[in-house]
Amino acid sequence: MKNLINYLKIFLLIIFSLIVSCGSDDDLNVTVIDEEREIPISVDFEVTISETNTFEITVNNTSTGTNGLISYWQFTENGERVADNDGPETHVYAVAGDYLVTLTVEAPDADITVSKTVTIAETSTDNTALKNAANGFSMGMAVRSNRLSGSHNAVLVREFNSLTAEFEMKMDQIYKTEGSLDFTASDIIVDYGVANNMDVHGHTLVWHNSIPSWMNNFSGTDEEFETLVEDYITTVMQRYAGKVRSWDVVNEAIEDGSNALRNSIFRQKMGDNYIEKCYQYARAADPNAILFYNDYNVTFDTGKQNAMFAIVDNLQSKNLIDGVGAQMHISFNFPTRTQIQSVVDGTVSRGLKMHFAELDIRVNPNNDITSLTQQRAIAQQNKAKEVAEIYNAIPDENKFALTLWGMRDSESWLPEFWGQPDWGLFYNEDFSPKRSHEGLLEGME
Ligand code: 9MR
């Protein structure tokens, strides 16, 4: 007899599950009697769409009789399982569409699931999109030509109005072979930016770390080398004139430690004033382009900051530069607000544009965590807020863009470069925004 009851119960559960998973009625719920515990289990949840961000839903488990039972959410059909913790949970979708939200309770006899469909409308307004929150400056993202479709595209068009190629507009990519320029990847990126009404920031024309090998082994005269560099800058900038709004002409010219000019092949063959020459070529090639000098560690390293401003002052005295790019490869606890502010002050006092370029925020610089802990995620959020606050307070005429150096943690250069795990960016694997993203929004309020 007990067996028969058990069979009946399982049969009923299957029927319930079928009814529930086919339905999208908000009032559906499932009630079964858990005989072992002699209490009825009723499974149900509420789902609401946020008013400020119509891509964001909140789900609230209103089940009864489920104390002590494990339950989990799925925000898409057969999607990743997310633990159902105490209190409501939020989830942000990247793209408009119909989504099946499922709550599963692992009941003693069989799992009980309730599903409801939420519709994220095409016309959804998103007051929490970064570009909408940024006042008087662009929100930039580092991109690759093969990361411009699907969810990447959805996030880009929703949240960003500026693009920087992460590596495909560098000399070693465009000028792989002597005598032949390859614009395949850079064209894809620039065309995408133009088609989507985004600013494209050109990165970068002259960088010691992206010299094609044939150029490193160049056997011609110094004059020939200089002509080659001039032709390269001219050809690339003229190709993209009117499409690429701004350029990092020379990138990272200062040696760490000594703060002298790096002894790159450009300096060796073109002389100590190679930087000035490159900016002259750039100014002549596209007089409308906004020209930047871009470097890292120029917040806390005062020696390097001084060396950078010396280069900038010389260029500015000849009207060859318009802005300073401070690469923001920072950590959750370093550099300080005052140090970040110092490069802003130096730039603003010269009347130049400030680009907070290449923002990522390491949470594991000391390799002491193996997953992104809540504590570090909050610390990262706070640092992101600080960076955005500092940027937001810049006078309008000196504002330019705040550029994030990649979208999802798995796409960041950080883990490979440092040889240890890190979670330096702003989106999760499923393209939902991280706390660090929330921090940026808070800083721009
Ligand atoms: O993040 C970039 C990585 O994907 C490239 O492989 C690498 C070499 O082109 O460049 C990285 O970006 C660098 C940027 O261009 C200049 N500042 C330092 C960045 C990190 O190395």
Side-chain angles (χ1 to χ4, degrees):
M1 184 62 187
K2 187 138 195 238
N3 265 352
L4 187 65
I5 293 175
N6 273 341
Y7 280 133
L8 255 175
K9 265 176 20 185
I10 289 170
F11 175 73
L12 277 175
L13 269 177
I14 290 170
I15 296 289
F16 273 133
S17 294
L18 278 178
I19 294 172
V20 166
S21 30
C22 296
S24 59
D25 178 347
D26 273 5
D27 294 317
L28 269 181
N29 70 74
V30 175
T31 305
V32 295
I33 306 289
D34 172 7
E35 285 207 336
E36 236 166 71
R37 304 187 310 160
E38 292 181 340
I39 46 167
I41 299 178
S42 171
V43 176
D44 196 13
F45 66 92
E46 296 164 347
V47 53
T48 49
I49 297 177
S50 156
E51 279 175 17
T52 48
N53 175 7
T54 52
F55 286 90
E56 180 180 294
I57 61 162
T58 299
V59 286
N60 190 22
N61 184 349
T62 55
S63 307
T64 53
T66 56
N67 272 356
L69 300 179
I70 290 172
S71 52
Y72 59 86
W73 300 101
Q74 285 164 297
F75 296 109
T76 54
E77 196 164 1
N78 301 319
E80 195 186 336
R81 294 176 178 195
V82 177
D84 174 34
N85 298 319
D86 285 346
E89 315 272 337
T90 59
H91 180 80
V92 182
Y93 292 101
V95 207
D98 288 339
Y99 294 97
L100 199 68
V101 180
T102 304
L103 172 65
T104 302
V105 175
E106 294 180 347
D109 294 316
D111 290 356
I112 308 172
T113 66
V114 173
S115 299
K116 301 181 185 195
T117 301
V118 283
T119 299
I120 305 295
E122 284 291 347
T123 53
S124 288
T125 51
D126 186 353
N127 295 339
T128 61
L130 294 173
K131 71 175 178 190
N132 299 340
N135 200 354
F137 61 97
S138 303
M139 276 307 308
M141 173 56 83
V143 296
R144 299 176 176 210
S145 60
N146 63 355
R147 291 185 187 154
L148 297 171
S149 58
S151 297
H152 284 101
N153 169 62
V155 174
L156 283 169
V157 299
R158 190 180 82 228
E159 299 228 43
F160 297 89
N161 45 17
S162 171
L163 302 179
T164 305
E166 190 174 356
F167 70 91
E168 287 158 306
M169 289 174 78
K170 292 169 183 168
M171 202 186 249
D172 63 349
Q173 299 299 309
I174 291 182
Y175 213 173
K176 282 194 186 103
T177 322
E178 184 166 8
S180 127
L181 297 170
D182 180 358
F183 292 109
T184 316
S186 52
D187 278 357
I188 291 173
I189 292 172
V190 174
D191 290 350
Y192 176 88
V194 170
N196 288 290
N197 217 6
M198 294 170 173
D199 294 335
V200 183
H201 177 67
H203 174 81
T204 171
L205 293 162
V206 173
W207 184 30
H208 69 281
N209 232 350
S210 65
I211 304 169
S213 51
W214 66 264
M215 205 169 179
N216 255 330
N217 303 322
F218 187 73
S219 57
T221 65
D222 289 356
E223 287 69 34
E224 283 166 348
F225 184 89
E226 195 167 314
T227 305
L228 203 123
V229 172
E230 179 176 5
D231 287 350
Y232 176 77
I233 292 176
T234 308
T235 310
V236 175
M237 286 189 68
Q238 289 187 345
R239 179 181 188 87
Y240 294 127
K243 295 180 174 176
V244 171
R245 178 179 175 232
S246 51
W247 281 97
D248 292 330
V249 180
V250 175
N251 194 49
E252 302 175 9
I254 303 161
E255 192 77 63
D256 291 316
S258 70
N259 298 323
L261 277 188
R262 279 182 207 277
N263 202 19
S264 67
I265 196 167
F266 304 106
R267 183 185 177 199
Q268 289 168 31
K269 295 199 177 289
M270 294 166 65
D272 279 354
N273 62 341
Y274 86 91
I275 298 181
E276 193 182 314
K277 289 178 180 172
C278 291
Y279 281 81
Q280 276 166 357
Y281 306 149
R283 202 47 121 209
D286 180 3
N288 294 320
I290 305 171
L291 305 184
F292 281 85
Y293 175 79
N294 191 53
D295 215 327
Y296 61 89
N297 292 358
V298 291
T299 52
F300 64 88
D301 185 338
T302 46
K304 192 165 182 182
Q305 190 186 104
N306 290 337
M308 176 179 78
F309 281 128
I311 292 173
V312 167
D313 285 343
N314 176 54
L315 292 172
Q316 197 179 13
S317 71
K318 293 162 182 159
N319 188 27
L320 294 174
I321 193 167
D322 307 298
V324 171
Q327 296 178 18
M328 287 288 157
H329 298 297
I330 62 174
S331 292
F332 74 98
N333 55 359
F334 183 80
T336 65
R337 177 185 273 266
T338 312
Q339 289 167 329
I340 298 173
Q341 187 64 47
S342 71
V343 76
V344 172
D345 293 344
T347 304
V348 170
S349 67
R350 288 170 170 78
L352 294 169
K353 291 190 188 305
M354 178 89 254
H355 184 194
F356 271 10
E358 306 185 23
L359 176 65
D360 43 38
I361 305 174
R362 294 169 72 193
V363 289
N364 194 24
N366 301 320
N367 205 9
D368 56 355
I369 52 173
T370 52
S371 64
L372 178 55
T373 61
Q374 195 185 36
Q375 192 197 25
R376 284 293 159 81
I378 292 171
Q380 188 182 44
Q381 174 177 3
N382 291 336
K383 200 68 188 173
K385 178 180 177 189
E386 182 180 288
V387 169
E389 267 172 6
I390 295 170
Y391 198 86
N392 212 25
I394 294 174
D396 279 352
E397 59 272 27
N398 305 99
K399 278 180 176 153
F400 177 71
L402 172 55
T403 298
L404 315 186
W405 208 238
M407 197 175 277
R408 299 185 291 175
D409 286 331
S410 59
E411 296 165 345
S412 170
W413 69 291
L414 288 168
E416 196 188 327
F417 182 83
W418 293 104
Q420 59 199 45
D422 216 309
W423 299 267
L425 293 176
F426 302 86
Y427 296 85
N428 295 307
E429 269 319 280
D430 65 358
F431 294 90
S432 59
K434 289 170 57 184
R435 275 179 180 270
S436 48
H437 178 281
E438 179 64 26
L440 292 175
L441 291 172
E442 288 166 351
M444 293 189 285
E445 265 170 17

